[in-house]
Amino acid sequence: ILLSPDWSPDGSSVALNTYIGDRPRLEIFNLHTGSRMTFADFQGLNSTPAFSPDGRYIAATLSHRGEPGIYIYDLETKNWRAFTHSDSNSSIDTSPTWSPDGKWIAFTAQYDGNFNVYVMSSSGGQPRQLTWWPDIGAIPERMGPNNQVIAWTPDSKSIVFLSRHDTFNTWFGRLWKVSVDGGLPERLPAGDYRIDARLDKQAATNAALGWALPAVFARYQSAHSLDQQAAEPRLLALGDPGDRA
């Protein structure tokens, strides 16, 4: 199973969360050469990769040192560094997303028992909480956290996130946005979406701009790119069915 694809800024590669074998891994698929490279294969969680706007770094969620936190991978040096830090052994940080101007990383974290939206300078520092909503009920982990960061608006001023805050069913979420400077979140003019995998980022951005194009939620056995001329999917990667957990 291949999940959470994120395109490199130059469109040459895709970073993916792969489930082949006994645990999740993070891999990069080069679309020009067809090669693939594993860049995270730690014991525990390896998920939600996100390229920096300049293409040099990838932020991701790892749990190789305890509870899930956000780490940044340098594609030039091949080294990881911790990005989020917490004194709590029960904290969870996930879904890192870079602002288009590269100055910020927004993410979802559970520092006080509830999942909320946070933001930090991409150079490091202290997280700043932007939403303050309590979680609503318990649901399976595969459905994703509440108040899950999805994307930024193109001007880097607001963060788009998916929340169960006021949905009729906790298996569904609604798109909201909140200013990077804080303040009350604003519900976007889009419908209810089932939380089953990561929201297509372009659809979320379109909704934030008011275009409200349908969001795409799906669980894929393979990852595809869309040929814009022929409007047909092109297979990028497919795991060996015998290797799937």
Side-chain angles (χ1 to χ4, degrees):
I1 298 175
L2 310 179
L3 299 171
S4 302
D6 193 66
W7 289 89
S8 63
D10 64 4
S12 67
S13 303
V14 176
L16 291 170
N17 181 194
T18 68
Y19 283 79
I20 300 174
D22 60 348
R23 65 174 180 255
R25 297 169 174 84
L26 293 179
E27 298 187 72
I28 297 175
F29 292 82
N30 187 300
L31 307 184
H32 299 312
T33 66
S35 63
R36 59 194 286 181
M37 178 189 78
T38 299
F39 66 101
D41 189 17
F42 301 107
Q43 188 68 42
L45 189 65
N46 304 281
S47 67
T48 60
F51 278 99
S52 62
D54 62 7
R56 176 172 175 175
Y57 305 100
I58 297 178
T61 304
L62 308 176
S63 60
H64 68 295
R65 294 182 180 176
E67 292 296 328
I70 295 170
Y71 293 77
I72 294 179
Y73 183 72
D74 189 321
L75 287 162
E76 293 185 6
T77 67
K78 311 301 183 186
N79 292 322
W80 286 97
R81 65 179 173 89
F83 179 68
T84 57
H85 305 273
S86 174
D87 295 330
S88 171
N89 291 326
S90 60
S91 67
I92 297 175
D93 312 324
T94 187
S95 304
T97 306
W98 299 75
S99 61
D101 61 12
K103 295 180 179 180
W104 305 97
I105 295 179
F107 57 97
T108 300
Q110 188 187 37
Y111 292 142
D112 61 356
N114 300 299
F115 283 103
N116 274 293
V117 177
Y118 291 78
V119 68
M120 280 177 60
S121 167
S122 58
S123 60
Q126 294 297 315
R128 183 158 46 86
Q129 188 170 350
L130 298 180
T131 64
W132 304 82
W133 291 337
D135 282 341
I136 302 173
I139 63 170
E141 288 186 11
R142 69 179 179 85
M143 303 304 288
N146 194 24
N147 300 321
Q148 183 176 6
V149 171
I150 300 297
W152 286 76
T153 53
D155 59 8
S156 297
K157 292 183 178 180
S158 296
I159 298 153
V160 179
F161 64 100
L162 193 68
S163 180
R164 305 179 183 95
H165 171 64
D166 64 348
T167 54
F168 72 96
N169 186 319
T170 56
W171 281 47
F172 290 79
R174 289 174 176 162
L175 290 174
W176 295 72
K177 71 175 180 178
V178 64
S179 169
V180 69
D181 297 322
L184 293 176
E186 174 187 345
R187 183 180 167 187
L188 300 180
D192 294 347
Y193 300 107
R194 181 168 179 173
I195 304 172
D196 202 4
R198 191 165 184 177
L199 176 68
D200 175 72
K201 288 186 176 180
Q202 188 59 53
T205 301
N206 291 343
L209 291 172
W211 300 336
L213 296 184
V216 180
F217 280 86
R219 297 176 64 193
Y220 288 98
Q221 294 292 334
S222 59
H224 297 77
S225 69
L226 184 64
D227 179 54
Q228 295 183 355
Q229 298 298 323
E232 292 292 336
R234 175 167 58 89
L235 184 66
L236 298 182
L238 181 65
D240 182 350
D243 290 339
R244 291 176 192 156

